[in-house]
Amino acid sequence: MRILVVEDDELVAEALQTLLVDLNYAVELAKDGQTAAELVEAFEYDLILSDVMLPKLDGVGLCRQLRSEGYQIPILLLTGKDSSHDRAIGLDAGADDYVVKPFDPEELAARVRALLRRGEAITPPVLKWENLQLDPKACEVKYQDILLKLTPKEYALVELFMRNTRRVFSCGMILEHIWTYEDTPGEEAVRTHIKGLRQKLKASGAPTDLIETVYGIGYRLKTLSELNKNKATSVQPPEAKIQQHTMSAIADIWIKFQPRIQEQIDLLDKAAIAVAEGCLKDELRQAAQQEAHTLAGGLGTFGLSKGSLLAREIEYLLKSNSPLDSKQSLQLQQDIEALRQEINSASQPVTQVTSECLDELGQWVVLVINADGASRDALAAEARQHKIRYLTADSIDLARDLIQEQSPHLILFDPAGQSPIQSLTFLEALLYLPQPIPVLIWTADDDRYQEMAKTYSGGQRPISKSLPIRQVWDRVEQTLQSKGTKEARIMIVDDSPQILETVAALCEPWGLEVIGLADPTQFWVTLTNSPPDLLLLDVEMPKIGGIDLCKVVRNDIQWEQLPIIFLTAHTETDVVNQVYAAGADDFICKPIVGPELVVRILNRLERTRLQRRLSTIDPLARVLSRYESAHSLELLLNEVAHQSKNMCLAIIEIERLQQINDCFGYAAGDSILRQFAQSLLGFVTQEDVIARRNGIQFLMGLIGVTKTEGGQRVQDFLDSVHTTPYSIPDGTNIQITCSASVVHYPEDSQDFQDLCILAEETLTEAKALGWGQARIANHSMPLTPKLYVEKG
């Protein structure tokens, strides 16, 4: 098989080439998208593996061009961009899959194999499974070079199993695959043929259980790992030798590219010095940001996860178009120095982190960051009572080391004593780990860190330090158990009790709580009382069919994002089309194959969690997203009401942004939005809430201020915006103006929706006064700006 790797970073390109060559693929390299397009025209490839950020023609552009020219080659995009928006762009352009750097080599290899399996001419000339061989051309099956005399149906059984070595086939599925519709016998015929095949295999020296019965599900080939366990031999398996060779080759690549990595670190140093001296030019900033981006993806691939984390933080700091303040400059220098030390101290590029055998006191590992001395003994004692392994770190730097070495299941983080930028960049980087670690904020100042907890703790409130230590660990244990013991809640609607029990039996051992419903007329009651994380529906049911239920769910704003998988015996094209048109996410044919069902459910749940986690933050402005803003502000309003505080709600709208996009391009508008959002974040207090409402509007919740104070704060912000030039990518400085409205709780209303409606009406009044105006709801006079902005 021939694979084209398109990657401009030589280190990553050669690592990919080494990995794929060891998997017996023929690999060719291209350094830019334009060269790759020319190679595709001249030669045939079975798969393209492309980075997104490329010179001349980027990966997304390459996808679009190849698809527009009719090429159907599978395309796998490889990039450091991890937002749902970036994924959607890549997939819409024609990519078949999307892998985020740093990637796991084993996972990448599996995704490559999965994409290649979609082609038609990818089957090897001879299929092999342990000592079993099948030659499709000769239609012969051998075991240890002994030819087996098989009937056509026995041969078809062996071929079915060997072409799908990881699947379990029920009797019904076997009937569908190897018998025609006209002469389909009963399931007893399958069992008879399996018995005859086993006897012939045994006679040739094969294990009696080479074709394994999976109780209650069906049949499959016994896994190679299980077969190897039964052999009393100390010979190293071929897979281990291949892996050893690959690791050694990657180590050689690491040594070879040490000078190049040092050049990258030197460039980052140069940028940090320029930041400290206040003379960082945009060209140097962009170059340093690109190098940090490259290191963030490449180092993780070579096992330096801590280095990848540091590079990600550096990239995050350099992304800001506004000048870094003194704290950010210091943080940048510290991160670069830590990155240099991490690289210099690495003796091997791929470190094998061994998972310790945990005793009964170590089922879970919890890392506590920045615990004060008085709390440590109490924390340790209570952790033992809860059977939790307890680690401590006095600083974020030490925490990074422990994350790499110990792989904790949860982090309990006290942000006090850390600079805000250091805390935020650390928490931001944790989101990009291959396996994100849950974080609980533990603080003596609940109000101050509310927003941090909402953003980085999955919406959970901070844990107050005033609580007894036992209650702290109760909360930790509850979070751990919800993460591991109960993976998710599954609701299945099927009129067959046998299906309901089968699905429950298959899913519950995997930590999936299953709610079965045989009567679809009780659907909404059950859905409301026990909200699920995923819905399984049968197509045909009495009274209400699954397709109708799916349509209703998709049209309900509360449940429109709920993952839905159909289970049905119908495989006709029109039925499948109806299912997906109704809004289904996946489709599984009955009879149910246990492993396939569980894997599909877990994959869908993981994908949904990733989308939800990424959707809480607007990828452009890096504030709360539109979907999250209403929920967060309603929670904030409830807290304000409970504490008898005042709150102002403001809508701020950037004016003439479309004209800027038309004149200078959308990159200019995006740059202004990013700078504007950063200005907002720098203007409000830690307990206030900032969210992006739509393309040009932002919502701001100001806590503990009167109506007049809130209005004045908003006007002060507008005055600051109107006097600050905004720089766009071509270096042009642009002056922008904003309109704003301010409403007050509880003076104007105690209902969130009513406040939003009033704020919209007041914003319309403000815009009618001219550009750059702010207005307080129900005030006879508008606010007076310090700087007059002439309309037009």
Side-chain angles (χ1 to χ4, degrees):
M1 311 303 295
R2 180 181 289 177
I3 296 177
L4 176 62
V5 173
V6 192
E7 172 63 69
D8 61 325
D9 183 83
E10 294 182 31
L11 175 65
V12 176
E14 191 158 345
L16 287 169
Q17 185 178 35
T18 301
L19 172 67
L20 295 171
V21 167
D22 280 336
L23 295 172
N24 298 317
Y25 299 119
V27 180
E28 294 182 9
L29 301 177
K31 293 184 178 181
D32 59 78
Q34 183 176 322
T35 302
E38 293 171 356
L39 287 172
V40 171
E41 290 180 3
F43 305 100
E44 291 188 2
Y45 296 97
D46 299 292
L47 182 138
I48 297 173
L49 198 160
S50 175
D51 190 14
V52 168
M53 298 180 66
L54 294 168
K56 298 184 181 179
L57 179 65
D58 63 26
V60 173
L62 176 63
C63 283
R64 291 198 182 104
Q65 179 175 325
L66 294 180
R67 294 302 185 230
S68 67
E69 295 173 356
Y71 289 99
Q72 299 300 316
I73 309 167
I75 300 175
L76 174 64
L77 289 181
L78 185 67
T79 180
K81 294 187 175 182
D82 193 24
S83 74
S84 55
H85 177 67
D86 291 319
R87 290 170 182 262
I89 290 175
L91 295 173
D92 286 343
D96 297 277
D97 203 353
Y98 196 108
V99 175
V100 178
K101 298 177 182 178
F103 55 84
D104 178 75
E106 184 178 358
E107 179 190 358
L108 180 66
R111 289 180 180 269
V112 167
R113 288 193 295 269
L115 288 176
L116 288 173
R117 281 197 296 271
R118 299 179 187 178
E120 295 180 355
I122 63 170
T123 305
V126 176
L127 303 177
K128 295 182 180 181
W129 189 255
E130 207 248 357
N131 292 320
L132 185 65
Q133 297 183 6
L134 183 145
D135 186 345
K137 292 183 179 179
C139 292
E140 292 180 346
V141 176
K142 295 180 180 180
Y143 188 84
Q144 291 182 335
D145 294 328
I146 299 174
L147 182 64
L148 277 65
K149 296 181 179 180
L150 304 179
T151 67
K153 287 294 186 283
E154 289 170 346
Y155 174 86
L157 278 170
V158 175
E159 185 175 24
L160 178 65
F161 290 139
M162 293 190 72
R163 290 189 184 277
N164 303 274
T165 55
R166 296 183 182 275
R167 287 189 62 182
V168 180
F169 290 91
S170 65
C171 289
M173 294 178 70
I174 292 173
L175 288 172
E176 288 181 8
H177 277 87
I178 65 177
W179 269 274
T180 63
Y181 179 77
E182 291 79 7
D183 64 350
T184 302
E187 293 187 357
E188 186 60 35
V190 175
R191 288 187 276 271
T192 300
H193 281 83
I194 292 288
K195 181 178 179 181
L197 179 58
R198 282 172 169 166
Q199 289 173 348
K200 292 178 180 180
L201 286 168
K202 182 180 179 181
S204 66
T208 56
D209 60 348
L210 179 60
I211 296 178
E212 182 182 22
T213 299
V214 181
Y215 181 73
I217 299 178
Y219 305 95
R220 68 177 176 187
L221 283 176
K222 196 173 186 68
T223 62
L224 290 175
S225 59
E226 289 296 323
L227 288 169
N228 288 331
K229 283 181 182 178
N230 296 333
K231 296 180 180 180
T233 176
S234 60
V235 178
Q236 190 180 31
E239 294 83 358
K241 292 181 179 179
I242 292 173
Q243 184 180 15
Q244 222 173 42
H245 175 75
T246 301
M247 295 302 180
S248 176
I250 290 179
D252 292 339
I253 296 171
W254 173 259
I255 295 171
K256 175 181 175 181
F257 280 90
Q258 282 290 314
R260 164 64 182 144
I261 294 173
Q262 292 302 326
E263 289 176 4
Q264 292 175 298
I265 298 297
D266 291 340
L267 182 63
L268 294 178
D269 265 336
K270 185 178 178 181
I273 293 170
V275 168
E277 295 176 351
C279 58
L280 178 64
K281 294 183 179 180
D282 192 61
E283 182 179 355
L284 177 57
R285 182 191 62 79
Q286 290 182 357
Q289 180 186 333
Q290 178 61 41
E291 297 291 10
H293 176 86
T294 301
L295 288 168
L299 293 177
T301 303
F302 286 83
L304 298 177
S305 57
K306 179 186 174 184
S308 180
L309 204 65
L310 286 164
R312 181 75 67 183
E313 292 179 4
I314 294 167
E315 180 189 8
Y316 174 76
L317 288 168
L318 290 170
K319 275 184 177 179
S320 174
N321 286 327
S322 56
L324 302 183
D325 59 29
S326 58
K327 289 184 179 179
Q328 292 172 320
S329 175
L330 179 61
Q331 181 64 46
L332 180 64
Q333 294 175 34
Q334 291 174 345
D335 283 346
I336 293 172
E337 180 57 31
L339 179 59
R340 184 191 296 277
Q341 293 177 5
E342 172 70 4
I343 290 172
N344 291 341
S345 63
S347 58
Q348 293 291 335
V350 181
T351 57
Q352 196 70 23
V353 181
T354 58
S355 56
E356 300 178 9
C357 297
L358 306 180
D359 57 20
E360 66 274 10
L361 293 181
Q363 182 181 3
W364 300 107
V365 180
V366 172
L367 172 61
V368 181
I369 303 176
N370 204 28
D372 57 84
S375 302
R376 288 184 183 177
D377 293 341
L379 285 167
E382 198 63 39
R384 286 193 293 269
Q385 292 294 321
H386 283 74
K387 297 184 178 180
I388 293 173
R389 290 184 62 212
Y390 163 64
L391 307 172
T392 61
D394 294 331
S395 66
I396 286 177
D397 289 336
L398 180 57
R400 291 193 190 98
D401 293 332
L402 290 174
I403 289 170
Q404 181 185 15
E405 296 166 3
Q406 300 292 333
S407 301
H409 299 94
L410 182 141
I411 293 174
L412 188 63
F413 177 49
D414 181 4
Q418 309 287 341
S419 69
I421 187 63
Q422 188 179 25
S423 297
L424 290 174
T425 51
F426 171 69
L427 294 172
E428 176 85 10
L430 288 177
L431 295 177
Y432 291 92
L433 289 175
Q435 294 294 328
I437 304 172
V439 178
L440 293 177
I441 304 298
W442 183 46
T443 175
D445 192 347
D446 298 12
D447 293 338
R448 180 181 179 187
Y449 295 106
Q450 284 283 351
E451 187 62 33
M452 180 184 288
K454 288 177 185 176
T455 304
Y456 299 103
S457 296
Q460 297 194 59
R461 293 173 57 85
I463 301 177
S464 174
K465 280 198 168 183
S466 62
L467 288 176
I469 295 297
R470 175 173 296 180
Q471 292 184 30
V472 174
W473 283 117
D474 286 343
R475 175 84 174 273
V476 168
E477 192 172 47
Q478 180 183 1
T479 304
L480 287 169
Q481 288 176 345
S482 65
K483 174 181 180 289
T485 305
K486 287 298 178 186
E487 189 72 23
R489 176 183 288 165
I490 310 299
M491 179 177 172
I492 174 171
V493 187
D494 197 302
D495 59 318
S496 170
Q498 294 91 337
I499 292 293
L500 297 179
E501 292 186 14
T502 300
V503 170
L506 290 171
C507 293
E508 286 174 356
W510 295 83
L512 301 173
E513 179 186 353
V514 178
I515 300 173
L517 182 64
D519 182 5
T521 61
Q522 299 298 311
F523 174 75
W524 284 108
V525 174
T526 308
L527 186 74
T528 304
N529 293 338
S530 303
D533 299 291
L534 183 142
L535 184 61
L536 293 172
L537 293 175
D538 189 16
V539 170
E540 286 191 4
M541 292 182 292
K543 301 177 183 177
I544 305 175
I547 292 176
D548 291 331
L549 282 178
C550 183
K551 289 178 180 177
V552 175
V553 170
R554 285 291 177 251
N555 287 320
D556 188 289
I557 190 170
Q558 182 180 356
W559 302 104
E560 61 182 356
Q561 300 298 322
L562 180 66
I564 300 176
I565 298 177
F566 271 85
L567 299 174
T568 180
H570 292 282
T571 57
E572 300 87 351
T573 303
D574 60 334
V575 176
V576 174
N577 289 339
Q578 289 180 48
V579 163
Y580 284 116
D585 296 287
D586 206 350
F587 181 95
I588 299 176
C589 296
K590 294 180 182 178
I592 298 168
V593 178
E596 178 183 355
L597 174 67
V598 172
V599 168
R600 299 271 277 276
I601 287 175
L602 293 176
N603 286 345
R604 181 60 55 182
L605 288 169
E606 184 62 30
R607 189 179 310 172
T608 302
R609 287 183 186 131
L610 177 62
Q611 290 172 344
R612 286 176 180 170
R613 177 166 56 85
L614 294 175
S615 67
T616 60
I617 301 297
D618 183 273
L620 180 62
R622 303 309 297 167
V623 296
L624 288 179
S625 66
R626 175 168 62 93
Y627 300 104
E628 195 69 13
S629 60
H631 175 66
S632 298
L633 285 167
E634 281 192 279
L635 288 177
L636 186 62
L637 193 64
N638 291 334
E639 293 174 7
V640 168
H642 181 71
Q643 299 170 8
S644 299
K645 288 185 177 180
N646 295 323
M647 185 183 89
C648 280
L649 182 68
I651 299 177
I652 303 178
E653 180 176 308
I654 303 175
E655 296 169 325
R656 296 174 290 180
L657 188 62
Q658 186 57 52
Q659 289 93 317
I660 294 173
N661 287 332
D662 293 340
C663 292
F664 299 98
Y666 281 89
D670 290 347
S671 175
I672 287 174
L673 280 169
R674 280 192 294 268
Q675 294 176 68
F676 183 81
Q678 292 301 312
S679 299
L680 269 177
L681 290 171
F683 192 79
V684 299
T685 65
Q686 189 73 32
E687 62 180 0
D688 297 333
V689 172
I690 298 294
R692 189 178 179 190
R693 190 163 184 258
N694 58 34
I696 58 175
Q697 290 183 352
F698 288 79
L699 273 173
M700 183 161 56
L702 303 174
I703 307 301
V705 295
T706 65
K707 198 169 190 177
T708 302
E709 291 170 343
Q712 189 58 56
R713 283 183 61 185
V714 170
Q715 185 60 62
D716 289 344
F717 175 73
L718 294 194
D719 292 339
S720 172
V721 170
H722 298 163
T723 57
T724 301
Y726 282 69
S727 176
I728 61 175
D730 68 0
T732 304
N733 287 332
I734 294 179
Q735 208 80 38
I736 68 170
T737 58
C738 302
S739 295
S741 63
V742 181
V743 297
H744 187 266
Y745 171 91
E747 183 178 331
D748 292 319
S749 176
Q750 297 185 22
D751 180 79
F752 176 71
Q753 295 301 328
D754 289 344
L755 287 171
C756 288
I757 292 171
L758 180 59
E760 290 173 355
E761 294 172 349
T762 307
L763 181 64
T764 302
E765 296 172 3
K767 290 193 288 186
L769 298 171
W771 284 326
Q773 301 296 314
R775 186 172 180 85
I776 299 176
N778 299 319
H779 271 215
S780 58
M781 295 294 291
L783 292 164
T784 303
K786 295 178 182 177
L787 176 69
Y788 175 73
V789 180
E790 182 181 358
K791 186 171 182 178

